Amino acid sequence: MMEPPAVLFHGTAERNVATILSEGLKKMARHHVHLSSDIETARKVGARYGKPVIFEVDTIGMRKEGYEFRVSENGVWLVDVVPSRFLRIQLH
């Protein structure tokens, strides 16, 4: 477990926004939800699937509630789930 930056980012395609705002970020077929420490990386990830939308993740709030973060060898932040209350769409 590691202490993440105060804000991390998640890039996704525009078509996923309504579901994410309703249900939060889930790991789906992966082992974890993948988060980036910078907006540009998140934008590139989201652009792979269509018009990108970037979410800001309130990691301070999540840590206060006991969520644990890890970081992979290639610098990707990992968490099991991000409830929607910790998400905000990043406005350019």
Side-chain angles (χ1 to χ4, degrees):
M1 182 177 76
M2 293 191 63
E3 191 70 32
V7 176
L8 289 171
F9 303 94
H10 180 82
T12 191
E14 190 174 47
R15 67 180 175 272
N16 299 325
V17 170
T19 301
I20 291 171
L21 288 174
S22 170
E23 302 176 13
L25 292 171
K26 299 176 181 179
K27 54 188 170 184
M28 309 302 278
R30 295 181 168 203
H31 293 284
H32 298 93
V33 173
H34 291 202
L35 305 172
S36 303
S37 57
D38 65 281
I39 293 171
E40 194 50 41
T41 299
R43 188 177 322 283
K44 288 177 185 174
V45 170
R48 286 189 263 171
Y49 307 104
K51 183 178 178 188
V53 175
I54 311 304
F55 283 93
E56 292 181 6
V57 178
D58 172 14
T59 62
I60 293 173
M62 289 184 68
R63 292 285 292 127
K64 285 180 182 176
E65 289 194 20
Y67 290 91
E68 295 182 1
F69 291 82
R70 292 172 177 73
V71 65
S72 68
E73 289 181 16
N74 64 350
V76 175
W77 285 89
L78 308 170
V79 67
D80 289 333
V81 65
V82 180
S84 60
R85 68 183 176 277
F86 297 110
L87 295 170
R88 183 169 80 93
I89 293 178
Q90 200 276 331
L91 304 173
H92 312 12

